[in-house]
Amino acid sequence: MLLKGKKILISGLANKYSIAAGIAHAMHREGAELAFTYQNERLLKNLKPIAEDLNVDILIESDVSSDESIENSFKELKKSWPKFDGLVHSIGFAPADQLEGDFVDVTTREGFKIAHDISSYSFTALAKSAKPMLNDGAALLTLTYLGAIQTLPNYNVMGLAKASLEANTRFLAASLGKDNIRVNAISAGPIKTLAASGVKNFRKMLTQHSSRAPLGRTVTTEEVGNAAAFLCSDYASGITGEITYVDAGFNTAAMPLNEIE
Ligand code: NAD
Ligand code: 0WE
């Protein structure tokens, strides 16, 4: 039981396919008490059965595009949890028109602003609000993607936003280290979630991934969840400011071994 007695707030759970759902399952299994935030009431009907399954009775609306919504959500959380031990940020968004076509042609000032606001600044905003409520030894965690450091088709401005999110992880770690609060990121391999479902040729990307990755396959939300549980546990007490890859080794291989033989 990696997380026995720990209270952890999880954001970004849209449905059972969400990476945040895999994280919630693993953390529940490891003995954590959980609370969920959701973007808007439309997502509540998918969230409720998952919450019931994992004995979660703290469900709070939090739209990270609004300072007021973030502020209200922590006021609400404080009624049940004056102090807590962990926060998972599993939120990313860019307008759909930014994620299809040639980067230079499709990227706009407004698209850039939204991608960075929702996908990176929101992590700083949540950390800022959570700080006075975090226990000694608490951990923050976010989800990033390889597009932060290498290019691929269509990921476009999200790659820039993830680069910002990864730097955000390091600066938050530096800032909160004196309070013994750790901050880390998991860089997950591609997974067919709601956020991936609208993406052109996503199935082809999953196939490509499997053929290059040392493990010869993609990863599951459960595998990301297991790494998340570890990083938020006291077993990871010496780890902060890190990007941990949960991608079946994809980022470590420049060429697949099989195809040149
Ligand atoms: P998902 O669609 O299940 O989750 C994305 C979440 O972001 C949703 O719950 C949505 O409600 C939330 N969100 C978007 N805008 C918001 C706002 N304004 N306020 C509050 N919440 C908002 O998809 P996912 O793949 O589980 O994505 C979770 C995280 O994992 C994202 O940061 C994503 O970039 C990252 N990630 C995904 C993959 C992948 O291949 N699926 C790979 C690596 C990293
Ligand atoms: O970070 C992500 C998801 C990013 C994402 C996806 C969408 C689709 C729907 C952000 N915003 C939106 N906005 C929408 O309107 N991933 C790592 C998954 C992903 O998304 C891609 C990918 C991969 C991988 C988009 C293009 C190319 C590859």
Side-chain angles (χ1 to χ4, degrees), residues 57-88:
D57 48 23
I58 308 172
L59 301 178
I60 300 170
E61 184 171 316
S62 175
D63 182 333
V64 299
S65 67
S66 152
D67 287 339
E68 195 194 349
S69 177
I70 293 174
E71 197 181 306
N72 286 338
S73 68
F74 281 92
K75 254 189 218 150
E76 186 65 28
L77 180 68
K78 202 169 186 172
K79 293 179 193 164
S80 313
W81 289 359
K83 290 271 173 180
F84 65 106
D85 307 287
L87 184 151
V88 177

PDB file of all heavy atoms in Angstrom, residues 57-88:
ATOM      1  N   ASP A  57     -16.239  10.628  -2.630  1.00  0.00           N
ATOM      2  CA  ASP A  57     -17.450  11.446  -2.485  1.00  0.00           C
ATOM      3  C   ASP A  57     -17.182  12.945  -2.575  1.00  0.00           C
ATOM      4  O   ASP A  57     -18.084  13.750  -2.403  1.00  0.00           O
ATOM      5  CB  ASP A  57     -18.268  11.073  -1.231  1.00  0.00           C
ATOM      6  CG  ASP A  57     -17.406  10.977   0.015  1.00  0.00           C
ATOM      7  OD1 ASP A  57     -16.335  11.605   0.007  1.00  0.00           O
ATOM      8  OD2 ASP A  57     -17.814  10.277   0.964  1.00  0.00           O
ATOM      9  N   ILE A  58     -15.953  13.310  -2.898  1.00  0.00           N
ATOM     10  CA  ILE A  58     -15.649  14.730  -3.126  1.00  0.00           C
ATOM     11  C   ILE A  58     -15.494  14.970  -4.628  1.00  0.00           C
ATOM     12  O   ILE A  58     -14.491  14.576  -5.228  1.00  0.00           O
ATOM     13  CB  ILE A  58     -14.367  15.164  -2.376  1.00  0.00           C
ATOM     14  CG1 ILE A  58     -14.448  14.771  -0.890  1.00  0.00           C
ATOM     15  CG2 ILE A  58     -14.153  16.661  -2.530  1.00  0.00           C
ATOM     16  CD1 ILE A  58     -13.141  14.998  -0.127  1.00  0.00           C
ATOM     17  N   LEU A  59     -16.522  15.572  -5.226  1.00  0.00           N
ATOM     18  CA  LEU A  59     -16.512  15.890  -6.655  1.00  0.00           C
ATOM     19  C   LEU A  59     -16.732  17.395  -6.788  1.00  0.00           C
ATOM     20  O   LEU A  59     -17.751  17.918  -6.344  1.00  0.00           O
ATOM     21  CB  LEU A  59     -17.636  15.149  -7.389  1.00  0.00           C
ATOM     22  CG  LEU A  59     -17.630  13.625  -7.326  1.00  0.00           C
ATOM     23  CD1 LEU A  59     -18.841  13.044  -8.050  1.00  0.00           C
ATOM     24  CD2 LEU A  59     -16.349  13.076  -7.935  1.00  0.00           C
ATOM     25  N   ILE A  60     -15.763  18.077  -7.382  1.00  0.00           N
ATOM     26  CA  ILE A  60     -15.800  19.544  -7.396  1.00  0.00           C
ATOM     27  C   ILE A  60     -15.569  20.063  -8.810  1.00  0.00           C
ATOM     28  O   ILE A  60     -14.629  19.642  -9.495  1.00  0.00           O
ATOM     29  CB  ILE A  60     -14.729  20.119  -6.444  1.00  0.00           C
ATOM     30  CG1 ILE A  60     -14.972  19.633  -5.007  1.00  0.00           C
ATOM     31  CG2 ILE A  60     -14.717  21.643  -6.493  1.00  0.00           C
ATOM     32  CD1 ILE A  60     -13.840  19.945  -4.042  1.00  0.00           C
ATOM     33  N   GLU A  61     -16.415  21.014  -9.235  1.00  0.00           N
ATOM     34  CA  GLU A  61     -16.228  21.620 -10.555  1.00  0.00           C
ATOM     35  C   GLU A  61     -15.034  22.581 -10.519  1.00  0.00           C
ATOM     36  O   GLU A  61     -14.884  23.365  -9.588  1.00  0.00           O
ATOM     37  CB  GLU A  61     -17.504  22.372 -10.961  1.00  0.00           C
ATOM     38  CG  GLU A  61     -17.415  22.937 -12.366  1.00  0.00           C
ATOM     39  CD  GLU A  61     -18.750  23.486 -12.874  1.00  0.00           C
ATOM     40  OE1 GLU A  61     -19.792  22.815 -12.679  1.00  0.00           O
ATOM     41  OE2 GLU A  61     -18.731  24.580 -13.449  1.00  0.00           O
ATOM     42  N   SER A  62     -14.185  22.487 -11.551  1.00  0.00           N
ATOM     43  CA  SER A  62     -13.043  23.398 -11.657  1.00  0.00           C
ATOM     44  C   SER A  62     -12.657  23.548 -13.123  1.00  0.00           C
ATOM     45  O   SER A  62     -12.117  22.634 -13.732  1.00  0.00           O
ATOM     46  CB  SER A  62     -11.861  22.836 -10.850  1.00  0.00           C
ATOM     47  OG  SER A  62     -10.707  23.639 -11.036  1.00  0.00           O
ATOM     48  N   ASP A  63     -12.979  24.719 -13.687  1.00  0.00           N
ATOM     49  CA  ASP A  63     -12.577  25.028 -15.064  1.00  0.00           C
ATOM     50  C   ASP A  63     -11.314  25.873 -14.975  1.00  0.00           C
ATOM     51  O   ASP A  63     -11.365  27.024 -14.524  1.00  0.00           O
ATOM     52  CB  ASP A  63     -13.705  25.783 -15.781  1.00  0.00           C
ATOM     53  CG  ASP A  63     -13.353  26.081 -17.229  1.00  0.00           C
ATOM     54  OD1 ASP A  63     -12.144  26.186 -17.554  1.00  0.00           O
ATOM     55  OD2 ASP A  63     -14.276  26.219 -18.052  1.00  0.00           O
ATOM     56  N   VAL A  64     -10.188  25.314 -15.408  1.00  0.00           N
ATOM     57  CA  VAL A  64      -8.902  25.995 -15.189  1.00  0.00           C
ATOM     58  C   VAL A  64      -8.702  27.221 -16.076  1.00  0.00           C
ATOM     59  O   VAL A  64      -7.710  27.925 -15.929  1.00  0.00           O
ATOM     60  CB  VAL A  64      -7.688  25.030 -15.336  1.00  0.00           C
ATOM     61  CG1 VAL A  64      -7.756  23.909 -14.303  1.00  0.00           C
ATOM     62  CG2 VAL A  64      -7.578  24.474 -16.753  1.00  0.00           C
ATOM     63  N   SER A  65      -9.659  27.498 -16.986  1.00  0.00           N
ATOM     64  CA  SER A  65      -9.561  28.734 -17.765  1.00  0.00           C
ATOM     65  C   SER A  65     -10.032  29.937 -16.948  1.00  0.00           C
ATOM     66  O   SER A  65      -9.901  31.075 -17.390  1.00  0.00           O
ATOM     67  CB  SER A  65     -10.367  28.622 -19.066  1.00  0.00           C
ATOM     68  OG  SER A  65     -11.747  28.553 -18.779  1.00  0.00           O
ATOM     69  N   SER A  66     -10.588  29.685 -15.745  1.00  0.00           N
ATOM     70  CA  SER A  66     -11.134  30.759 -14.926  1.00  0.00           C
ATOM     71  C   SER A  66     -10.499  30.784 -13.530  1.00  0.00           C
ATOM     72  O   SER A  66     -10.569  29.802 -12.783  1.00  0.00           O
ATOM     73  CB  SER A  66     -12.654  30.573 -14.812  1.00  0.00           C
ATOM     74  OG  SER A  66     -13.155  31.116 -13.611  1.00  0.00           O
ATOM     75  N   ASP A  67      -9.905  31.929 -13.151  1.00  0.00           N
ATOM     76  CA  ASP A  67      -9.326  32.085 -11.809  1.00  0.00           C
ATOM     77  C   ASP A  67     -10.398  31.895 -10.741  1.00  0.00           C
ATOM     78  O   ASP A  67     -10.153  31.299  -9.701  1.00  0.00           O
ATOM     79  CB  ASP A  67      -8.713  33.486 -11.637  1.00  0.00           C
ATOM     80  CG  ASP A  67      -7.412  33.649 -12.414  1.00  0.00           C
ATOM     81  OD1 ASP A  67      -6.783  32.623 -12.747  1.00  0.00           O
ATOM     82  OD2 ASP A  67      -7.031  34.797 -12.693  1.00  0.00           O
ATOM     83  N   GLU A  68     -11.591  32.417 -11.031  1.00  0.00           N
ATOM     84  CA  GLU A  68     -12.689  32.335 -10.075  1.00  0.00           C
ATOM     85  C   GLU A  68     -13.096  30.877  -9.833  1.00  0.00           C
ATOM     86  O   GLU A  68     -13.317  30.459  -8.691  1.00  0.00           O
ATOM     87  CB  GLU A  68     -13.883  33.142 -10.611  1.00  0.00           C
ATOM     88  CG  GLU A  68     -14.928  33.418  -9.561  1.00  0.00           C
ATOM     89  CD  GLU A  68     -16.240  33.903 -10.175  1.00  0.00           C
ATOM     90  OE1 GLU A  68     -16.271  34.226 -11.385  1.00  0.00           O
ATOM     91  OE2 GLU A  68     -17.243  33.927  -9.432  1.00  0.00           O
ATOM     92  N   SER A  69     -13.179  30.106 -10.914  1.00  0.00           N
ATOM     93  CA  SER A  69     -13.554  28.695 -10.780  1.00  0.00           C
ATOM     94  C   SER A  69     -12.507  27.922  -9.976  1.00  0.00           C
ATOM     95  O   SER A  69     -12.840  27.110  -9.117  1.00  0.00           O
ATOM     96  CB  SER A  69     -13.737  28.072 -12.173  1.00  0.00           C
ATOM     97  OG  SER A  69     -14.025  26.707 -12.061  1.00  0.00           O
ATOM     98  N   ILE A  70     -11.220  28.195 -10.236  1.00  0.00           N
ATOM     99  CA  ILE A  70     -10.143  27.524  -9.484  1.00  0.00           C
ATOM    100  C   ILE A  70     -10.249  27.891  -8.002  1.00  0.00           C
ATOM    101  O   ILE A  70     -10.211  27.020  -7.122  1.00  0.00           O
ATOM    102  CB  ILE A  70      -8.753  27.913 -10.045  1.00  0.00           C
ATOM    103  CG1 ILE A  70      -8.564  27.361 -11.464  1.00  0.00           C
ATOM    104  CG2 ILE A  70      -7.637  27.406  -9.128  1.00  0.00           C
ATOM    105  CD1 ILE A  70      -7.279  27.812 -12.155  1.00  0.00           C
ATOM    106  N   GLU A  71     -10.422  29.183  -7.738  1.00  0.00           N
ATOM    107  CA  GLU A  71     -10.503  29.674  -6.357  1.00  0.00           C
ATOM    108  C   GLU A  71     -11.672  29.019  -5.616  1.00  0.00           C
ATOM    109  O   GLU A  71     -11.523  28.525  -4.496  1.00  0.00           O
ATOM    110  CB  GLU A  71     -10.677  31.195  -6.397  1.00  0.00           C
ATOM    111  CG  GLU A  71     -10.380  31.910  -5.100  1.00  0.00           C
ATOM    112  CD  GLU A  71     -10.605  33.420  -5.255  1.00  0.00           C
ATOM    113  OE1 GLU A  71     -10.011  34.013  -6.181  1.00  0.00           O
ATOM    114  OE2 GLU A  71     -11.397  33.974  -4.484  1.00  0.00           O
ATOM    115  N   ASN A  72     -12.840  28.995  -6.268  1.00  0.00           N
ATOM    116  CA  ASN A  72     -14.028  28.366  -5.653  1.00  0.00           C
ATOM    117  C   ASN A  72     -13.807  26.892  -5.380  1.00  0.00           C
ATOM    118  O   ASN A  72     -14.271  26.356  -4.372  1.00  0.00           O
ATOM    119  CB  ASN A  72     -15.253  28.538  -6.559  1.00  0.00           C
ATOM    120  CG  ASN A  72     -15.785  29.956  -6.528  1.00  0.00           C
ATOM    121  OD1 ASN A  72     -15.533  30.707  -5.577  1.00  0.00           O
ATOM    122  ND2 ASN A  72     -16.492  30.348  -7.587  1.00  0.00           N
ATOM    123  N   SER A  73     -13.110  26.212  -6.287  1.00  0.00           N
ATOM    124  CA  SER A  73     -12.929  24.769  -6.130  1.00  0.00           C
ATOM    125  C   SER A  73     -12.075  24.454  -4.892  1.00  0.00           C
ATOM    126  O   SER A  73     -12.353  23.495  -4.175  1.00  0.00           O
ATOM    127  CB  SER A  73     -12.332  24.148  -7.397  1.00  0.00           C
ATOM    128  OG  SER A  73     -11.010  24.573  -7.598  1.00  0.00           O
ATOM    129  N   PHE A  74     -11.055  25.271  -4.632  1.00  0.00           N
ATOM    130  CA  PHE A  74     -10.230  25.018  -3.440  1.00  0.00           C
ATOM    131  C   PHE A  74     -10.959  25.415  -2.154  1.00  0.00           C
ATOM    132  O   PHE A  74     -10.775  24.789  -1.112  1.00  0.00           O
ATOM    133  CB  PHE A  74      -8.849  25.672  -3.567  1.00  0.00           C
ATOM    134  CG  PHE A  74      -7.928  24.857  -4.444  1.00  0.00           C
ATOM    135  CD1 PHE A  74      -7.837  25.103  -5.814  1.00  0.00           C
ATOM    136  CD2 PHE A  74      -7.178  23.812  -3.909  1.00  0.00           C
ATOM    137  CE1 PHE A  74      -7.016  24.325  -6.625  1.00  0.00           C
ATOM    138  CE2 PHE A  74      -6.355  23.029  -4.711  1.00  0.00           C
ATOM    139  CZ  PHE A  74      -6.279  23.283  -6.084  1.00  0.00           C
ATOM    140  N   LYS A  75     -11.814  26.451  -2.242  1.00  0.00           N
ATOM    141  CA  LYS A  75     -12.667  26.818  -1.089  1.00  0.00           C
ATOM    142  C   LYS A  75     -13.556  25.636  -0.723  1.00  0.00           C
ATOM    143  O   LYS A  75     -13.731  25.301   0.447  1.00  0.00           O
ATOM    144  CB  LYS A  75     -13.538  28.029  -1.454  1.00  0.00           C
ATOM    145  CG  LYS A  75     -13.073  29.312  -0.800  1.00  0.00           C
ATOM    146  CD  LYS A  75     -14.108  30.430  -1.014  1.00  0.00           C
ATOM    147  CE  LYS A  75     -13.430  31.759  -1.255  1.00  0.00           C
ATOM    148  NZ  LYS A  75     -14.211  32.664  -2.117  1.00  0.00           N
ATOM    149  N   GLU A  76     -14.119  25.020  -1.767  1.00  0.00           N
ATOM    150  CA  GLU A  76     -15.010  23.879  -1.583  1.00  0.00           C
ATOM    151  C   GLU A  76     -14.241  22.680  -1.009  1.00  0.00           C
ATOM    152  O   GLU A  76     -14.690  22.025  -0.070  1.00  0.00           O
ATOM    153  CB  GLU A  76     -15.621  23.519  -2.957  1.00  0.00           C
ATOM    154  CG  GLU A  76     -16.685  22.451  -2.956  1.00  0.00           C
ATOM    155  CD  GLU A  76     -17.945  22.866  -2.209  1.00  0.00           C
ATOM    156  OE1 GLU A  76     -18.246  24.081  -2.135  1.00  0.00           O
ATOM    157  OE2 GLU A  76     -18.615  21.950  -1.694  1.00  0.00           O
ATOM    158  N   LEU A  77     -13.059  22.415  -1.568  1.00  0.00           N
ATOM    159  CA  LEU A  77     -12.247  21.280  -1.100  1.00  0.00           C
ATOM    160  C   LEU A  77     -11.876  21.446   0.380  1.00  0.00           C
ATOM    161  O   LEU A  77     -11.880  20.468   1.140  1.00  0.00           O
ATOM    162  CB  LEU A  77     -10.965  21.162  -1.943  1.00  0.00           C
ATOM    163  CG  LEU A  77     -10.023  20.006  -1.559  1.00  0.00           C
ATOM    164  CD1 LEU A  77     -10.667  18.660  -1.881  1.00  0.00           C
ATOM    165  CD2 LEU A  77      -8.668  20.128  -2.273  1.00  0.00           C
ATOM    166  N   LYS A  78     -11.586  22.685   0.767  1.00  0.00           N
ATOM    167  CA  LYS A  78     -11.132  22.986   2.130  1.00  0.00           C
ATOM    168  C   LYS A  78     -12.154  22.547   3.186  1.00  0.00           C
ATOM    169  O   LYS A  78     -11.781  22.171   4.304  1.00  0.00           O
ATOM    170  CB  LYS A  78     -10.838  24.482   2.261  1.00  0.00           C
ATOM    171  CG  LYS A  78      -9.899  24.809   3.404  1.00  0.00           C
ATOM    172  CD  LYS A  78      -9.427  26.246   3.349  1.00  0.00           C
ATOM    173  CE  LYS A  78      -8.378  26.476   4.427  1.00  0.00           C
ATOM    174  NZ  LYS A  78      -7.747  27.770   4.309  1.00  0.00           N
ATOM    175  N   LYS A  79     -13.445  22.568   2.803  1.00  0.00           N
ATOM    176  CA  LYS A  79     -14.506  22.144   3.735  1.00  0.00           C
ATOM    177  C   LYS A  79     -14.341  20.676   4.126  1.00  0.00           C
ATOM    178  O   LYS A  79     -14.633  20.288   5.251  1.00  0.00           O
ATOM    179  CB  LYS A  79     -15.889  22.353   3.101  1.00  0.00           C
ATOM    180  CG  LYS A  79     -16.253  23.813   2.874  1.00  0.00           C
ATOM    181  CD  LYS A  79     -17.626  23.910   2.215  1.00  0.00           C
ATOM    182  CE  LYS A  79     -17.896  25.308   1.674  1.00  0.00           C
ATOM    183  NZ  LYS A  79     -19.024  25.321   0.721  1.00  0.00           N
ATOM    184  N   SER A  80     -13.891  19.838   3.166  1.00  0.00           N
ATOM    185  CA  SER A  80     -13.693  18.415   3.460  1.00  0.00           C
ATOM    186  C   SER A  80     -12.249  18.107   3.853  1.00  0.00           C
ATOM    187  O   SER A  80     -11.994  17.302   4.735  1.00  0.00           O
ATOM    188  CB  SER A  80     -14.038  17.560   2.245  1.00  0.00           C
ATOM    189  OG  SER A  80     -15.251  17.946   1.675  1.00  0.00           O
ATOM    190  N   TRP A  81     -11.324  18.735   3.146  1.00  0.00           N
ATOM    191  CA  TRP A  81      -9.898  18.491   3.364  1.00  0.00           C
ATOM    192  C   TRP A  81      -9.180  19.820   3.643  1.00  0.00           C
ATOM    193  O   TRP A  81      -8.697  20.459   2.713  1.00  0.00           O
ATOM    194  CB  TRP A  81      -9.257  17.884   2.101  1.00  0.00           C
ATOM    195  CG  TRP A  81      -9.613  16.474   1.767  1.00  0.00           C
ATOM    196  CD1 TRP A  81     -10.425  15.616   2.452  1.00  0.00           C
ATOM    197  CD2 TRP A  81      -9.128  15.738   0.616  1.00  0.00           C
ATOM    198  NE1 TRP A  81     -10.494  14.408   1.795  1.00  0.00           N
ATOM    199  CE2 TRP A  81      -9.702  14.450   0.677  1.00  0.00           C
ATOM    200  CE3 TRP A  81      -8.266  16.053  -0.442  1.00  0.00           C
ATOM    201  CZ2 TRP A  81      -9.445  13.480  -0.299  1.00  0.00           C
ATOM    202  CZ3 TRP A  81      -8.014  15.097  -1.417  1.00  0.00           C
ATOM    203  CH2 TRP A  81      -8.595  13.809  -1.335  1.00  0.00           C
ATOM    204  N   PRO A  82      -9.007  20.217   4.908  1.00  0.00           N
ATOM    205  CA  PRO A  82      -8.223  21.430   5.187  1.00  0.00           C
ATOM    206  C   PRO A  82      -6.776  21.271   4.721  1.00  0.00           C
ATOM    207  O   PRO A  82      -6.129  22.228   4.331  1.00  0.00           O
ATOM    208  CB  PRO A  82      -8.295  21.569   6.701  1.00  0.00           C
ATOM    209  CG  PRO A  82      -9.328  20.603   7.172  1.00  0.00           C
ATOM    210  CD  PRO A  82      -9.563  19.589   6.114  1.00  0.00           C
ATOM    211  N   LYS A  83      -6.287  20.020   4.768  1.00  0.00           N
ATOM    212  CA  LYS A  83      -4.917  19.718   4.316  1.00  0.00           C
ATOM    213  C   LYS A  83      -4.961  18.463   3.447  1.00  0.00           C
ATOM    214  O   LYS A  83      -5.795  17.576   3.682  1.00  0.00           O
ATOM    215  CB  LYS A  83      -4.010  19.444   5.529  1.00  0.00           C
ATOM    216  CG  LYS A  83      -3.724  20.673   6.370  1.00  0.00           C
ATOM    217  CD  LYS A  83      -2.489  21.371   5.833  1.00  0.00           C
ATOM    218  CE  LYS A  83      -2.253  22.710   6.526  1.00  0.00           C
ATOM    219  NZ  LYS A  83      -1.055  23.368   5.979  1.00  0.00           N
ATOM    220  N   PHE A  84      -4.068  18.393   2.450  1.00  0.00           N
ATOM    221  CA  PHE A  84      -3.973  17.162   1.659  1.00  0.00           C
ATOM    222  C   PHE A  84      -2.546  16.919   1.183  1.00  0.00           C
ATOM    223  O   PHE A  84      -1.644  17.709   1.482  1.00  0.00           O
ATOM    224  CB  PHE A  84      -5.016  17.139   0.544  1.00  0.00           C
ATOM    225  CG  PHE A  84      -4.874  18.195  -0.530  1.00  0.00           C
ATOM    226  CD1 PHE A  84      -4.406  17.844  -1.793  1.00  0.00           C
ATOM    227  CD2 PHE A  84      -5.232  19.516  -0.296  1.00  0.00           C
ATOM    228  CE1 PHE A  84      -4.291  18.804  -2.798  1.00  0.00           C
ATOM    229  CE2 PHE A  84      -5.121  20.481  -1.289  1.00  0.00           C
ATOM    230  CZ  PHE A  84      -4.648  20.120  -2.538  1.00  0.00           C
ATOM    231  N   ASP A  85      -2.342  15.788   0.476  1.00  0.00           N
ATOM    232  CA  ASP A  85      -0.978  15.280   0.252  1.00  0.00           C
ATOM    233  C   ASP A  85      -0.533  15.193  -1.200  1.00  0.00           C
ATOM    234  O   ASP A  85       0.633  14.920  -1.462  1.00  0.00           O
ATOM    235  CB  ASP A  85      -0.844  13.874   0.859  1.00  0.00           C
ATOM    236  CG  ASP A  85      -1.276  13.851   2.303  1.00  0.00           C
ATOM    237  OD1 ASP A  85      -0.525  14.374   3.144  1.00  0.00           O
ATOM    238  OD2 ASP A  85      -2.382  13.346   2.599  1.00  0.00           O
ATOM    239  N   GLY A  86      -1.482  15.373  -2.124  1.00  0.00           N
ATOM    240  CA  GLY A  86      -1.063  15.224  -3.517  1.00  0.00           C
ATOM    241  C   GLY A  86      -2.050  15.836  -4.480  1.00  0.00           C
ATOM    242  O   GLY A  86      -3.248  15.948  -4.180  1.00  0.00           O
ATOM    243  N   LEU A  87      -1.537  16.261  -5.642  1.00  0.00           N
ATOM    244  CA  LEU A  87      -2.385  16.847  -6.673  1.00  0.00           C
ATOM    245  C   LEU A  87      -1.934  16.321  -8.038  1.00  0.00           C
ATOM    246  O   LEU A  87      -0.740  16.391  -8.366  1.00  0.00           O
ATOM    247  CB  LEU A  87      -2.277  18.374  -6.624  1.00  0.00           C
ATOM    248  CG  LEU A  87      -3.176  19.185  -7.563  1.00  0.00           C
ATOM    249  CD1 LEU A  87      -3.484  20.530  -6.927  1.00  0.00           C
ATOM    250  CD2 LEU A  87      -2.532  19.417  -8.923  1.00  0.00           C
ATOM    251  N   VAL A  88      -2.866  15.773  -8.793  1.00  0.00           N
ATOM    252  CA  VAL A  88      -2.565  15.290 -10.143  1.00  0.00           C
ATOM    253  C   VAL A  88      -3.213  16.225 -11.160  1.00  0.00           C
ATOM    254  O   VAL A  88      -4.429  16.441 -11.134  1.00  0.00           O
ATOM    255  CB  VAL A  88      -3.083  13.845 -10.340  1.00  0.00           C
ATOM    256  CG1 VAL A  88      -2.839  13.383 -11.777  1.00  0.00           C
ATOM    257  CG2 VAL A  88      -2.428  12.898  -9.346  1.00  0.00           C
TER     258      VAL A  88
END
